[in-house]
Amino acid sequence: MAATTKTATLTFNGKTIELPVHSPTVGPDVIDIRKLYAQGDVFTYDPGFTSTAACESAITYIDGDAGELLHRGYPIEQLAEKSHFLEVCYLLLYGELPTAAQIEDFETRVTRHTMVHEQMHNFFRGFRRDAHPMATMVGVVGAMSAFYHDSTDINDPWQREVAAIRMIAKVPTIAAMAYKYSIGQPFIYPRNDLDYASNFLRMCFAVPAEEYEVDPILSRAMDRIMMLHADHEQNASTSTVRLAGSSGANPFACIAAGIACLWGPAHGGANQACLEMLREIGTVDRIPEYIKRAKDKDDPFRLMGFGHRVYKNFDPRAKVMKQSADEVLALLGIENNPTLQVAKELERIALEDDYFVSKKLYPNVDFYSGIILDAMGFPTSMFTPIFALSRTVGWISQWKEMIGDQAQKIGRPRQLYVGETRREYIEVENR
Ligand code: CMC
């Protein structure tokens, strides 16, 4: 538990209530209102949880004003440059960077779990051919609880561990299968001699008739995309996973709930929406029209890939992603593609525009990731599944932390009721 050395005093309705204040290792103090209702007969109101911490966590820290993101204390820029995705997975799950022996053991365990139960192939075939891969993923990841009974007991630490490894290993396989199914190609089995990112690329782009040679620069870019999406503290999908898990639901069901929440365009679905928006804009001369629409209060349109609930300076992931986009496009010789021209000009105009500057709306991680994934050959429908497979480790790390936290209870927010007060039933003939 965080240190508790201060108190806050709330005076309301003639009562004075002393509330403990917890000091985190870094970041603003947190007023503990758990006893508020019992002592003051009053609730707090905070839609969107803009000022409310729902848990204690030691995994990820974000300083939105400074544009800082730390995983277990390590800055994302250093991890993106020096680490690799499976090492970041280990760090998030277990709290420390692994030794050489620990990472070797971890990689072996993950690699040995990458195949899915053969009967799951039949499960895929139940989906419509043109199903969005996210729809398939929500269903298939949830269905893992029907295939892996021996890792659904949340009270058994060994089963929790196996479920974690299984999900990190199998969710990329499921995402690739969802893609293959959607384009009518046969599933490609994982290959254990490839690294995690290369294996995923191959499962998406190889066909039985022709092997896919993974370019190391593309594999490194894919690995970086995975690292940059691995965790982001208590965002909407992670909070969904925690809320689902707080009832004691099995881990596969909880991660499926997280995938469902991620799908929305305000969250992980923004990468698909952003690229589609860039294509819709089409040419640089049409940008002012879209900027105008984004500012219009009567138009629901928003510039996708801009803005963030927490980052009010810049998104550190976007900085690394932008650099990666430049590398990939240079490698593929497509620096001048029209979508990229629109993206660059849109970024330039938005960063100078008063509306965006005053509201602190900067390009976020989704603004650049789609450009890289598009260049790699992924259709827009695969962008959010790739976010989901990368975030799986974050969700499962947060879920494991929650299960081990004695202070956690079933999540059950209160409400500010504005409906009718009690009234008597009216017979139909009298209405
Ligand atoms: N385009 C135009 N105006 C915007 C945008 C945008 N992208 N984002 C926020 N605003 C305006 C908004 O209209 C509001 O104006 P006002 O104060 O005059 O009412 C102000 O900025 C604050 O917006 P908000 O909706 O209260 O902010 P929020 O913290 O609730 O929302 C957000 C954050 C990311 C949902 C929002 O910025 C957004 O919808 N962005 C586009 C979608 C997107 O790129 N999402 C990916 C987020 S990063 C990856 C992830 O976490 O999944």
Side-chain angles (χ1 to χ4, degrees), residues 3-10 16-23 29-32:
T4 311
T5 48
K6 305 176 212 170
T7 54
T9 310
L10 176 77
T16 297
I17 303 158
E18 291 287 314
L19 298 164
V21 177
H22 307 303
S23 296
D29 284 341
V30 175
I31 301 174
D32 185 338

Side-chain angles (χ1 to χ4, degrees), residues 263-325:
W263 197 358
H267 193 7
N271 53 15
Q272 170 168 356
C274 178
L275 203 88
E276 286 168 357
M277 174 194 78
L278 295 175
R279 284 191 183 144
E280 188 187 307
I281 298 175
T283 48
V284 167
D285 58 300
R286 296 189 63 207
I287 293 175
E289 180 195 326
Y290 283 81
I291 296 263
K292 197 171 157 217
R293 282 188 61 195
K295 294 181 194 175
D296 183 354
K297 284 269 154 264
D298 299 324
D299 188 332
F301 175 77
R302 282 187 169 200
L303 274 195
M304 301 314 287
F306 277 81
H308 197 274
R309 168 62 61 78
V310 185
Y311 294 122
K312 298 299 172 200
N313 183 335
F314 64 90
D315 179 342
R317 304 168 300 170
K319 269 195 169 175
V320 182
M321 201 68 94
K322 185 179 185 185
Q323 190 195 333
S324 214

Side-chain angles (χ1 to χ4, degrees), residues 111-117 148 169-170 173 189-190:
T111 307
R112 294 281 152 78
H113 276 288
T114 48
M115 287 205 305
V116 296
H117 195 293
Y148 303 103
K170 293 185 203 300
T173 312
Y189 287 90

Side-chain angles (χ1 to χ4, degrees), residues 10 27 30 38 46 67 78 84 92 156 167 184 212 248 250 255 263 265 289 295-296 327 347 352 376 388 419 424 429:
L10 176 77
V30 175
D46 185 17
Q78 289 182 24
H84 58 92
L92 291 169
D156 177 348
M167 269 184 281
Y212 173 79
N250 75 69
I255 302 303
W263 197 358
E289 180 195 326
K295 294 181 194 175
D296 183 354
E327 280 169 25
E347 181 193 16
E352 286 173 1
M376 283 177 170
E424 300 307 316
E429 57 275 20

Side-chain angles (χ1 to χ4, degrees), residues 130-183:
D130 55 357
H132 192 290
M134 280 299 276
T136 313
M137 280 184 76
V138 173
V140 177
V141 172
M144 285 175 80
S145 33
F147 286 93
Y148 303 103
H149 297 142
D150 58 344
S151 49
T152 50
D153 180 357
I154 64 157
N155 298 314
D156 177 348
W158 185 83
Q159 292 202 29
R160 294 204 294 267
E161 175 68 16
V162 175
I165 298 289
R166 275 189 170 140
M167 269 184 281
I168 294 166
K170 293 185 203 300
V171 174
T173 312
I174 291 171
M177 289 170 80
Y179 172 51
K180 286 298 200 191
Y181 186 74
S182 73
I183 55 170

